[in-house]
Amino acid sequence: MLEGASNPAPARACGLLYIRGNQEHEAAVAAHRIEPIDMVVVNLYAFEKTAATPGVSFGHLIETFDIGGPSMVRSAAKKLRDVAIVTRVADYPALIEELKAGHGSLSRDTRWKLAKQPLPSPPL
């Protein structure tokens, strides 16, 4: 719609936030053909790195404000019972191994560990 605008679509938000096992939520996502989201993998913009660059223009700096990423991180962390949030590339190898061993699933302990990792702070 707008160049540079990338916010979560309602279907994406519903696929992430609906309460699994809640009959009303289950009926709504089924009626709208919304697929559940079980894992969110986010690589956030490097705002701090860009802000520390000598001579960086304000226009360039504001383009590194990550709006959707932190929202997705927080939403996924809130839904840790059903959703895993991955924000660190260093976690990929262990998660891939667990997904293989768990037939595509991560343990509750792993989802809890991932959800407790530091959440991104707003840029300002």
Side-chain angles (χ1 to χ4, degrees):
M1 184 174 4
L2 297 174
E3 184 180 342
S6 59
N7 58 352
R12 192 175 336 146
C14 290
L16 179 61
L17 293 172
Y18 83 93
I19 300 171
R20 296 170 195 198
N22 176 303
Q23 291 180 346
E24 288 180 32
H25 285 208
E26 295 283 353
V29 295
H32 295 283
R33 297 186 180 122
I34 296 171
E35 295 291 326
I37 295 174
D38 298 326
M39 181 181 292
V40 174
V41 180
V42 177
N43 293 313
L44 300 168
Y45 298 139
F47 174 80
E48 292 84 2
K49 181 179 176 183
T50 303
T53 304
V56 66
S57 71
F58 181 73
H60 181 70
L61 183 62
I62 63 171
E63 291 303 317
T64 64
F65 284 13
D66 197 326
I67 298 166
S71 176
M72 296 288 285
V73 168
R74 287 177 170 83
S75 297
K78 179 179 179 178
K79 303 306 284 186
L80 74 100
R81 189 179 95 199
D82 299 309
V83 181
I85 175 60
V86 183
T87 59
R88 298 178 183 176
V89 174
D91 292 332
Y92 291 6
L95 294 173
I96 290 168
E97 289 306 312
E98 184 173 338
L99 286 166
K100 287 178 183 176
H103 305 287
S105 295
L106 295 174
S107 70
R108 183 180 178 100
D109 287 342
T110 296
R111 291 192 312 275
W112 175 235
K113 181 186 91 174
L114 293 168
K116 290 189 303 183
Q117 290 179 353
L119 296 178
S121 298
L124 299 175

